[in-house]
Amino acid sequence: MMPKRQSPIWHPFTQHALQDQMTRIVRGDGAYLHTADGRRIIDAISSWWVVTHGHCHPHIVSAIQEQAGKLNQIIFAGYTHEPAEEVAALLLKLAPRGLDYVFFSDSGSASVEVALKMALGYWHNIGRQRIRIVVMQHSYHGDTIGAMSVGARGVLNAAYGPLLFDVTSIPFPAKGLEQATLDALESACRNEIPAAFIVEPLILGAGGMLMYPTWVLREMKRICEASDVLFIADEVMTGWGRTGTLFACEQADVTPDIVCYSKGLTGGALPLAVTLCRADIFDAHYSKDRTRTFFHSSSYTANPVACAAAKANLSLWRNQETYARLASVAAMQEKQIEPFRADARFRNVRRMGTITALELKVRDEGYLANIGPKLQAFFNDRRLLLRPLGNTIYVMPPYSVTAADLNEIYAAINDAADALWRPEWTGHT
Ligand SMILES: *Cc1c(COP(=O)(O)O)cnc(C)c1O
């Protein structure tokens, strides 16, 4: 018999039989969350990678308040509004040069679906049969059917596997094995004549914060360009400063043909996403023939309040102080992670920009590793919001985080290893 639950809410990525008590949050400010029972929690993962400048940033909050009383929803087919126009114009100024059009949606998964539909629509409308998508091993692009299809297959989507469309996967460019990735991409592009290659630039997020160098990103773009394969960058997580620059692609000097931004687009205040593309992708849909229309919409496309929040966020990214803050968080993160590089209890100790990650050596690994929930409970007791991916612990704080906050976070990581690590777990005592 199922026990009577306190709440009718079904939470995401939550096994209610193992965790039925949710922490009730009443308020957020900067890097902190405040619970109903009066505790203060440090949000060390930016509330699932979305909060960039801190919770309830006053500039973003006042933009939302002002817009909410003016125009809070409008059909976006046949109508437009100032916040959307400004966001689109500012995005094209800040994004890599060569992108010309902006399509709005409301989540990272939707922005990926839009990217895939743009790519397929492009080939369809110019009269060439290209439908195959090339992907990278360990990728994550969202939880809708199309986004899952281009993401890693495994425990997260086993139940839906038969329904997912078939893709060609190239290996992750692990250290020393980069050439194998490039060779696999080159051969997929040559032999399969794919429509597009989709990839998370520089860091694979949900796949375990796996990092690869900028030259590999640059080479992958070059290979796609040489074989006329559309290059889709999923910057849903890597965007908005996480990798140390506003967008990851700028580090490799790469302009994708299509790029997805979401998560930090509103600073983490409201749901919004965009898919940017090159002019020829738009042009392939531009016709007096209505069958060539881009048939995609969601009810809340370019919601004016969400756009006002994005506009406020974009104005922060035109301010040098934001970049100085970013550099300072990256430097503080490096200082904290450095001692762990020589620590035998961990491996793959790494950092890119403001993100650090490391793996606790255990015998049982992977997303469902039993150590995951144990670590999370340990951190929860220390008043920290950290949510390890299996045995991979990562820190992705809002940029308002202080040195003192980071001291607490890394002291807890060290103590967690003391409390939970046993030499016999590594298989060699
Ligand atoms: C989170 C994420 C998504 C999905 O975004 P949602 O807003 O959760 O739908 C897609 N791609 C990447 C790389 C992500 O990290």
Side-chain angles (χ1 to χ4, degrees):
M1 261 273 287
M2 301 290 270
K4 178 91 185 105
R5 294 190 50 227
Q6 279 180 355
S7 164
I9 297 174
W10 193 345
H11 288 262
F13 273 67
T14 300
Q15 178 43 270
H16 284 274
L18 295 172
Q19 184 200 1
D20 209 29
Q21 278 299 333
M22 303 297 138
T23 305
R24 194 170 285 236
I25 301 296
V26 290
R27 197 163 60 80
D29 74 277
Y32 313 115
L33 297 165
H34 301 272
T35 66
D37 57 7
R39 291 181 308 142
R40 190 189 83 167
I41 294 174
I42 301 174
D43 186 351
I45 62 160
S46 300
S47 278
W48 246 346
W49 321 348
V50 299
V51 176
T52 45
H53 313 291
H55 288 271
C56 296
H57 189 284
H59 183 56
I60 297 174
V61 170
S62 67
I64 291 171
Q65 285 170 335
E66 197 186 316
Q67 186 61 41
K70 234 194 250 171
L71 173 70
N72 58 30
Q73 170 62 3
I74 174 76
I75 176 174
F76 207 58
Y79 293 82
T80 192
H81 50 81
E82 186 265 355
E85 295 292 341
E86 290 229 8
V87 166
L90 277 173
L91 273 169
L92 293 180
K93 277 203 189 107
L94 292 171
R97 263 172 205 288
L99 292 161
D100 304 287
Y101 289 94
V102 178
F103 191 95
F104 285 94
S105 60
D106 43 24
S107 73
S109 303
S111 73
V112 166
E113 301 283 350
V114 166
L116 296 171
K117 285 175 72 173
M118 277 180 179
L120 296 177
Y122 168 80
W123 292 111
H124 177 82
N125 287 350
I126 66 167
R128 287 168 68 185
Q129 261 303 312
R130 286 195 181 213
I131 50 166
R132 198 158 183 88
I133 309 292
V134 180
V135 308
M136 182 179 277
Q137 178 192 20
H138 302 312
S139 294
Y140 175 83
H141 297 292
D143 286 336
T144 51
I145 296 285
M148 279 194 293
S149 295
V150 292
R153 306 298 160 95
V155 67
L156 306 186
N157 48 44
Y160 332 109
L163 206 63
L164 304 183
F165 60 77
D166 199 22
V167 295
T168 299
S169 184
I170 63 165
F172 174 77
K175 206 173 168 61
L177 300 173
E178 296 90 348
Q179 194 54 46
T181 298
L182 301 176
D183 292 346
L185 180 59
E186 196 138 35
S187 123
C189 286
R190 186 170 350 101
N191 301 325
E192 317 219 16
I193 326 281
F197 170 55
I198 182 166
V199 72
E200 299 164 80
L202 303 188
I203 308 183
L204 275 54
M209 295 300 154
L210 304 173
M211 304 173 186
Y212 63 89
T214 53
W215 70 266
V216 175
L217 180 60
R218 200 177 308 121
E219 276 301 289
M220 292 192 302
K221 172 65 170 82
R222 187 193 58 74
I223 291 166
C224 288
E225 208 172 298
S227 31
D228 230 10
V229 173
L230 295 175
F231 186 93
I232 305 174
D234 176 355
E235 290 235 31
V236 169
M237 184 283 277
T238 52
W240 314 107
R242 296 297 181 192
T243 67
T245 47
L246 179 54
F247 301 119
C249 282
E250 42 184 273
Q251 292 186 40
D253 204 14
V254 154
T255 298
D257 300 305
I258 302 175
V259 63
C260 307
Y261 302 128
S262 186
K263 291 202 166 109
L265 171 57
T266 59
L270 286 171
L272 188 71
V274 286
T275 309
L276 275 54
C277 70
R278 266 189 3 220
D280 48 341
I281 293 165
F282 175 86
D283 293 347
H285 294 81
Y286 186 83
S287 168
K288 295 247 153 64
D289 174 359
R290 286 160 69 188
T291 64
R292 286 164 167 265
T293 306
F294 187 54
F295 291 112
H296 192 95
S297 165
S298 42
S299 308
Y300 288 97
T301 302
N303 172 266
V305 183
C307 285
K311 187 181 142 190
N313 169 53
L314 283 160
S315 82
L316 292 173
W317 286 108
R318 302 193 84 194
N319 188 337
Q320 277 316 308
E321 273 168 45
T322 305
Y323 294 86
R325 185 76 220 137
L326 195 63
S328 138
V329 172
M332 290 192 292
Q333 283 276 70
E334 178 58 31
K335 184 166 162 252
Q336 295 284 351
I337 200 74
E338 174 54 25
F340 289 89
R341 292 205 166 95
D343 190 325
R345 300 167 302 170
F346 297 95
R347 60 182 170 73
N348 294 342
V349 180
R350 57 201 185 274
R351 177 187 69 88
M352 185 178 288
T354 66
I355 303 174
T356 59
L358 68 178
E359 275 127 56
L360 189 59
K361 285 184 191 163
V362 285
R363 190 172 282 167
D364 144 47
E365 297 194 349
Y367 184 83
L368 292 189
N370 286 324
I371 192 79
K374 278 189 208 160
L375 284 167
Q376 207 178 315
F378 183 93
F379 294 131
N380 186 52
D381 289 344
R382 296 282 289 255
R383 302 185 180 190
L384 297 173
L385 170 49
L386 278 167
R387 198 183 154 89
L389 295 155
N391 62 319
T392 300
I393 304 170
Y394 68 90
V395 181
M396 193 194 294
Y399 309 141
S400 56
V401 75
T402 65
D405 298 334
L406 291 171
N407 282 340
E408 274 189 54
I409 294 166
Y410 287 89
I413 294 173
N414 183 61
D415 295 348
D418 274 347
L420 301 174
W421 188 73
R422 302 282 176 276
E424 63 270 22
W425 288 355
T426 64
H428 50 82
T429 46

